[in-house]
Amino acid sequence: MGRGQRLGLFAGSGVGKSVLLGMMARYTKADVIVVGLIGERGREVKEFVEDILGAQDRSRAVVVAAPADAPPLLRMQGASYATAIAEHFRDKGKHVLLLMDSLTRYAQAQREIALAIGEPPATKGYPPSCFAKLPALVERSGNGLNGVGSITAFYTVLSEGDDQQDPIADASRAILDGHYVLSRALAEQGHYPAIDVEQSASRVMHNVVPQEHFELARRFRAVYSRYQKSKDLIQVGAYVSGSDPQVDDAIRLQPAMASFLQQTMFESASMEESLAQMAAVLNPQN
């Protein structure tokens, strides 16, 4: 990801998105952190402020909360208010990390209001105004004029029933600069953060990383994907070693790759450390 990028964190409920947001808030180098907790559990607000954000991080953080029991208009205004605060600091030349949890609850609040005033439902019960409101909110983040200040934004998107084709998820994916998908299958295996590498993508990566980094990541994804496609055959013992050298290579590297992709909530890793570890995973002889 690049500074000023707008990214979506796509996940069902209970697969670790709030913990992942907390890790971002705790270990970011941003000048200011703005957190918008929109339509989530009231208990989550206290947990985020007291447990996830430490005293040092609270000193540079602003938390805007409109819990699930708040009226829909208040939930919508909470999201706009959090974005306005981020814009204020960006205009002062600060680099801001905006964490919005969640964009889906914002859309659902707009749906409640639109249906109450008689707007007809269009897509799976969502009126057209819901899809018009999303880009109006998301496009407010990004880099400031002439490169002065920035808002790097993460918007969580709840996928109802883990359906990545949910209308809000589909509309959000189209207007964001990239997306991370959290997999329930990985979470059930105890693999955290449960990021599905195959389904996740960044639209600006080729513009913000060196060619060596890009090629390393491309190779990692290719080897990881090759193992996943052959996983069923391997687990039932139907794959014969030597049948495909590329699959043999993927099987050999799989334990180290799985370990590399996991991280505890109190563990941090710099970009330099991560790249060195990824290179070591793909080139164990070195």
Side-chain angles (χ1 to χ4, degrees):
M1 64 169 297
R3 180 176 284 166
Q5 190 175 352
R6 298 175 286 256
L7 281 155
L9 201 58
F10 291 72
S13 56
V15 294
K17 67 181 187 308
S18 296
V19 173
L20 186 55
L21 289 180
M23 291 169 68
M24 294 178 192
R26 188 181 300 114
Y27 301 120
T28 183
K29 294 180 180 178
D31 301 321
V32 180
I33 306 161
V34 179
V35 182
L37 299 175
I38 311 302
E40 297 299 315
R41 295 171 295 133
R43 173 182 172 181
E44 192 174 325
V45 178
K46 183 179 180 182
E47 286 178 354
F48 197 96
V49 172
E50 294 187 358
D51 300 338
I52 296 178
L53 284 177
Q56 181 178 354
D57 298 307
R58 278 202 299 269
S59 65
R60 57 173 177 156
V62 181
V63 179
V64 178
D69 61 344
L73 189 58
L74 194 60
R75 278 178 270 146
M76 287 195 65
Q77 289 301 320
S80 298
Y81 187 45
T83 307
I85 292 171
E87 289 173 323
H88 167 77
F89 286 109
R90 176 185 63 187
D91 293 344
K92 287 191 168 186
K94 302 284 188 182
H95 295 298
V96 183
L97 175 65
L98 172 62
L99 305 174
M100 187 79 71
D101 186 14
S102 70
L103 200 60
T104 305
R105 303 299 188 204
Y106 173 80
Q108 289 174 347
Q110 170 60 21
R111 177 173 65 178
E112 289 181 47
I113 295 169
L115 292 176
I117 62 176
E119 189 177 339
T123 308
K124 290 190 177 180
Y126 286 95
S129 62
C130 291
F131 303 101
K133 287 281 187 182
L134 291 176
L137 178 72
V138 169
E139 287 293 326
R140 290 169 62 182
S141 55
N143 289 314
L145 294 175
N146 302 317
V148 177
S150 66
I151 301 174
T152 305
F154 283 88
Y155 300 92
T156 67
V157 181
L158 284 168
S159 305
E160 294 185 8
D162 295 320
D163 178 14
Q164 295 303 319
Q165 304 310 314
D166 171 80
I168 296 301
D170 203 38
S172 302
R173 194 161 32 240
I175 60 175
L176 293 167
D177 300 323
H179 54 274
Y180 298 143
V181 177
L182 298 189
S183 163
R184 187 173 300 278
L186 287 174
E188 288 170 350
Q189 296 169 22
H191 179 118
Y192 290 105
I195 297 174
D196 189 324
V197 173
E198 293 181 286
Q199 293 192 60
S200 305
S202 170
R203 295 179 181 177
V204 306
M205 180 177 176
H206 61 283
N207 292 325
V208 298
V209 301
Q211 185 63 26
E212 297 78 13
H213 178 177
F214 187 83
E215 286 301 320
L216 201 61
R218 184 197 59 77
R219 186 184 162 207
F220 189 101
R221 288 173 67 107
V223 176
Y224 181 86
S225 179
R226 195 172 297 124
Y227 178 85
Q228 296 302 319
K229 285 178 172 57
S230 307
K231 187 176 181 179
D232 291 340
L233 290 175
I234 297 166
Q235 288 181 336
V236 300
Y239 176 75
V240 178
S241 180
S243 302
D244 186 336
Q246 293 183 328
V247 175
D248 292 340
D249 194 38
I251 294 172
R252 180 174 57 87
L253 296 177
Q254 173 60 21
M257 295 179 80
S259 176
F260 171 75
L261 291 173
Q262 296 181 61
Q263 185 176 353
T264 66
M265 65 181 294
F266 297 108
E267 179 184 358
S268 67
S270 69
M271 178 70 78
E272 294 75 18
E273 290 171 344
S274 298
L275 285 175
Q277 289 174 13
M278 183 159 60
V281 167
L282 293 175
N283 305 290
Q285 69 277 11
N286 295 334

